[in-house]
Amino acid sequence: MAKLQPLQSFSLQETEDGYRLLVSAIGGDTLYVSITAEQMDDIIDSLELATGGDAGEEGAEEDEDGF
């Protein structure tokens, strides 16, 4: 199992096939991964769940109610 390291930075670039994610850990370890569009959708869904839901949906509900 890989050693858990604190995140230093990350960057995301769009490619012809999807995305390229660069993740850097404090201490210098760097990892590039290729991500498909479907995988990116899954990542976004997971982040929304982890942060308590989709803010876009809340805004849409408020707009429909006239607020």
Side-chain angles (χ1 to χ4, degrees):
M1 184 171 176
K3 179 182 172 186
L4 183 61
Q5 299 177 0
L7 177 67
Q8 179 176 358
S9 64
F10 72 94
S11 66
L12 186 66
Q13 296 176 331
E14 192 169 3
T15 66
E16 291 180 15
D17 299 336
Y19 301 90
R20 181 174 65 183
L21 176 65
L22 167 65
V23 178
S24 298
I26 295 174
D29 289 339
T30 301
L31 175 68
Y32 280 102
V33 292
S34 175
I35 302 170
T36 66
E38 293 80 17
Q39 290 170 319
M40 179 58 74
D41 289 342
D42 291 342
I43 291 169
I44 291 168
D45 290 345
S46 294
L47 290 170
E48 288 173 349
L49 286 173
T51 58
D54 181 18
E57 287 181 9
E58 291 174 16
E61 290 174 8
E62 291 176 2
D63 290 343
E64 290 172 3
D65 294 335
F67 296 104

